[in-house]
Amino acid sequence: MKITKKFPGSTLIEVLVALCVLGIVVPPALGALGGVLAAELKFHENARMISSAEWWFSRLTFPVYGHDIDAAPREDKYGKTRFEWDTENLENGAIRVTLRVHGRFSVLPFTVSRIF
C-alpha cells in the first residue's frame, strides 16, 4: 500500500487554481446573462411601442379629417409613450399619417404610416 504524502500548502494552490478558473468562467457568463436581459428588455419595449401605435390609430374615427388627427393624444394613458405625427394630403382626398412612437427606453422612435 502506497501512502501519499501531502505537501504543506497544496490546498492553497488548489484554492488559487479554483479561483483562477472562476475568474475566467464567471465574467463571460455574467456578460451573456446581461446580453440576454438587455435583448429581452428591447423586445418588450418594441412590442409595447407597436401596441401603443395601434392604440393611437384606434382613437381615430372614420372618416378621418385633419382636425381629428390634431386632436389625437400626444401621450399614452400612462405617460410612458410620446406620439408625434406628420400628415400629407394625397391626390385622391386621402390623408397619409406618419406616426412616430417614442418609448421610454428606446433610442430611436418606432415609425409607421397609414393612409385614411
Side-chain angles (χ1 to χ4, degrees), residues 29-49:
L30 290 177
L33 179 63
V36 167
L37 293 176
E40 182 179 3
L41 178 67
K42 185 176 180 179
F43 173 78
H44 286 291
E45 178 70 7
N46 288 342
R48 193 178 62 73
M49 289 189 341

Side-chain angles (χ1 to χ4, degrees), residues 15 43 47 51 54 63 69 102 109 112 114:
V15 168
F43 173 78
S51 175
E54 292 297 323
I69 297 171
H102 299 273
V112 62
R114 291 204 179 156

